[in-house]
Amino acid sequence: MKGRLYRPFFVMWEFEIGYVGLFLSAFFAATILPVASEAFLIGMLAYHYDPLVCLLVASSGNTLGAILNYYIGYLAKPIWLKKIHVSLEQIEQWKDRVHKYGVWLALFSWLPLIGDLIGVVLGFFRAPKVLTFVFFAIGKILRYAIVILLYFLF
């Protein structure tokens, strides 16, 4: 009898830890760390985790990782770019592009390799925070929704 009382608690605990792992893998995947959050997500779906909860958890973790990238760029100093031999003209060209395309670039922050840099660049050139974060979230939700949809289709 005593073992039966504790068993559901541990089963539920293991289940919830899966969501924590998904959140962390999605968060770190949005940074420069090479983490395959999609593989983690597919594994969770294979173990019958709730797809909607997985979508929300992965998207929120990945969005917060993109916001971290934004603030890393926000804290950066233009002088640092000069140290890696980036000219003032190049900086001005990038600044013009960011101001021209603005927050729309945040939709592409889910892309491998360049997505991380997009968040940093948007922060560096002080793109509007709230709108940028909303577009980060939209891009991340679409990314994981497509992964989940493809998992169930194939």
Side-chain angles (χ1 to χ4, degrees):
M1 176 88 176
K2 198 173 193 180
R4 289 185 188 172
L5 290 175
Y6 292 111
R7 187 175 188 103
F9 172 75
F10 288 120
V11 170
M12 190 168 76
W13 176 252
E14 290 171 4
F15 197 74
E16 299 302 320
I17 290 294
Y19 289 123
V20 172
L22 178 61
F23 179 88
L24 291 174
S25 73
F27 178 83
F28 289 123
T31 65
I32 60 169
L33 297 176
V35 178
S37 62
E38 293 86 358
F40 200 98
L41 173 62
I42 290 170
M44 290 188 64
L45 295 172
Y47 279 102
H48 308 292
Y49 279 78
D50 185 328
L52 183 59
V53 176
C54 286
L55 174 66
L56 295 174
V57 169
S59 299
S60 61
N62 210 251
T63 300
L64 288 174
I67 291 170
L68 174 68
N69 288 339
Y70 178 93
Y71 280 111
I72 289 170
Y74 193 84
L75 295 174
K77 306 287 184 221
I79 193 77
W80 297 349
L81 292 176
K82 291 179 188 174
K83 290 184 179 184
I84 57 171
H85 306 292
V86 176
S87 70
L88 287 175
E89 292 172 4
Q90 290 173 314
I91 294 172
E92 286 301 316
Q93 286 175 345
W94 294 344
K95 184 177 182 179
D96 291 340
R97 287 182 189 145
V98 167
H99 289 296
K100 181 178 179 182
Y101 300 111
V103 295
W104 293 102
L105 290 171
L107 284 174
F108 299 101
S109 65
W110 62 270
L111 291 170
L113 302 175
I114 65 166
D116 305 333
L117 294 175
I118 288 173
V120 173
V121 167
L122 288 171
F124 184 80
F125 291 115
R126 310 295 196 264
K129 289 179 188 170
V130 174
L131 203 51
T132 300
F133 298 166
V134 168
F135 277 82
F136 279 155
I138 291 169
K140 307 301 185 166
I141 290 168
L142 290 174
R143 167 195 191 172
Y144 288 111
I146 290 169
V147 170
I148 291 170
L149 181 65
L150 289 174
Y151 172 79
F152 285 111
L153 288 177
F154 300 103

